[in-house]
Amino acid sequence: MRVGVVTEIKPAERRVALTPAGAHELAGRGHEVLVQAGAGVGSGFADAAYIGAGARIVEAAEQVWADSELLLKVKEPIEPEYELLNGDATLFTYLHLAAAPRLTEALVASGTTAIAYETVTGANGKGLPLLAPMSEVAGRLATQAAAYFLQSPLGGRGVLIGGVPGVAPARVVVIGGGVVGTNAARVAVGMGAEVTILERSIARLAELELLFDGRARVLMSDALTLREEIAHADVVIGAVLVAGAAAPKLITREMLAEMRSRSVIVDVAIDQGGCAETSTPTTHDDPTYLVDDVLHYCVANMPGGVPATSTRALTNATLPYVQALADHGVDGAFAKIAGLSDGVNVRAGQITIPAVAEALAASHAAA
């Protein structure tokens, strides 16, 4: 099978969907690997490394899109790429379609089979194995970003996240105790912050209590508790996930008026629309903005800021699925790997994820 890898063109996105080591594995199985020139440079991989691994370098993105039977990306196609969507190919990437109605329509119109990393499930339908590595990165980065933007010259409250002897540390509230939230809380605890995790699952609350062993407060997330906690926070990290669906708007505009002046919201859920009513996507080049004196950090591709780490972690997770798709085709791969079929969001001009169909219908109703 011809497997293609294109250069990411989303602003400040430096990851690549396949490492040279991954290309070597595919070439060794008899597949033709096409890599757009310069695709790996942002992650530290020169074209020569791919050539040495058995891949073929192709200059033009248009040729990679047209010639590939399986097209690998990191981030969802953006508008200049819509016309390149190939109805004879399978696209394997992060999609987050519930927050992207125009992309959804483009995929439907193209006839492309679109498999989203973020909705592939693990054994017995549990877990999100291809979302997990980037969630780990994003969670850890969320606390780093919060600590950085708490500095007064950058718009924050001027609070050192870990404090110093005799001076209280920052109060960090993490909304959601999944992979993102757990990693954000771990880093915040390690930096010396006063950390509270809000979570709705009883079972997960018990797991978090054992994991943090008193180093973080673990509370049931309800509307009243959420409101009280964020009112006294220096940092709020939104780590909410409803797989395949738009994130719930848990932080309302009204709540911002009760928050501390120049406190920081890091909305990691922004790929799915964000968990604050005032969240709108930003980039690494222009990451923050103020609303009602609350600083918002809503970078939509946070792991793209550490591409050397993120690219390797992503390929480690996706390669077995890529190999199955290349070896056996789409339906054959579904039979080989449980949970891969859950990743299909669009196929043969049809949306296959109810939450995405509902989000598209809602966007049309609002238009």
Side-chain angles (χ1 to χ4, degrees), residues 14-347:
R14 297 175 178 87
R15 289 173 289 178
V16 64
L18 191 70
T19 63
H24 182 267
E25 293 292 326
L26 291 170
R29 299 166 86 96
H31 302 296
E32 184 179 4
V33 183
L34 313 177
V35 178
Q36 186 183 348
V41 170
S43 295
F45 303 120
D47 289 348
Y50 287 100
I51 293 171
R56 177 161 63 92
I57 299 299
V58 177
E59 288 295 328
E62 293 82 359
Q63 185 179 348
V64 180
W65 281 92
D67 292 349
S68 299
E69 297 168 277
L70 174 61
L71 196 288
L72 307 180
K73 287 185 91 281
V74 178
K75 291 300 291 179
E76 72 283 350
I78 62 176
E79 193 160 349
E81 296 172 307
Y82 291 176
E83 64 182 12
L84 303 178
L85 292 168
N86 182 354
D88 296 325
T90 297
L91 174 65
F92 197 27
T93 186
Y94 289 115
L95 287 171
H96 301 291
L97 293 183
R102 293 183 65 186
L103 172 58
T104 304
E105 291 171 344
L107 289 168
V108 168
S110 73
T112 298
T113 296
I115 304 177
Y117 296 151
E118 74 272 10
T119 60
V120 172
T121 58
N124 301 316
K126 295 182 178 179
L128 301 169
L130 304 189
L131 183 61
M134 294 304 96
S135 294
E136 291 168 349
V137 172
R140 297 180 188 202
L141 281 175
T143 301
Q144 289 184 199
Y148 182 67
F149 285 104
L150 272 175
Q151 296 178 75
S152 185
L154 298 168
R157 287 177 47 75
V159 174
L160 182 65
I161 196 166
V164 292
V167 181
R171 291 182 174 179
V172 176
V173 174
V174 180
I175 307 172
V179 177
V180 170
T182 299
N183 279 273
R186 284 181 60 189
V187 173
V189 166
M191 295 177 80
E194 179 185 318
V195 181
T196 298
I197 307 169
L198 304 179
E199 169 60 44
R200 293 187 64 84
S201 164
I202 296 291
R204 185 59 181 162
L205 285 168
E207 292 171 353
L208 291 166
E209 190 69 41
L210 288 173
L211 178 64
F212 286 95
D213 193 25
R215 294 172 297 153
R217 298 165 68 223
V218 181
L219 303 178
M220 171 59 73
S221 182
D222 55 61
L224 182 59
T225 301
L226 173 65
R227 189 168 198 137
E228 290 175 346
E229 291 298 325
I230 69 173
H232 298 97
D234 297 296
V235 172
V236 176
I237 296 175
V240 180
L241 174 68
V242 180
K249 302 295 185 184
L250 300 179
I251 302 173
T252 66
R253 179 70 179 264
E254 180 186 6
M255 291 178 184
L256 263 60
E258 302 171 5
M259 294 179 66
R260 290 178 166 178
S261 174
R262 298 301 174 113
S263 56
V264 177
I265 293 175
V266 179
D267 197 342
V268 188
I270 194 63
D271 269 338
Q272 295 292 94
C275 64
E277 286 184 346
T278 47
S279 290
T280 189
T282 61
T283 68
H284 288 288
D285 294 330
D286 189 14
T288 63
Y289 59 92
L290 274 172
V291 177
D292 295 346
D293 209 32
V294 174
L295 194 66
H296 291 57
Y297 177 97
C298 302
V299 174
N301 61 329
M302 291 176 63
V306 287
T309 296
S310 297
T311 288
R312 289 174 171 85
L314 182 61
T315 295
N316 288 346
T318 60
L319 187 59
Y321 297 83
V322 173
Q323 289 173 333
L325 288 164
D327 289 349
H328 306 289
V330 172
D331 292 316
F334 292 165
K336 292 287 183 179
I337 301 184
L340 178 56
S341 61
D342 292 333
V344 179
N345 280 216
V346 178
R347 192 175 192 187

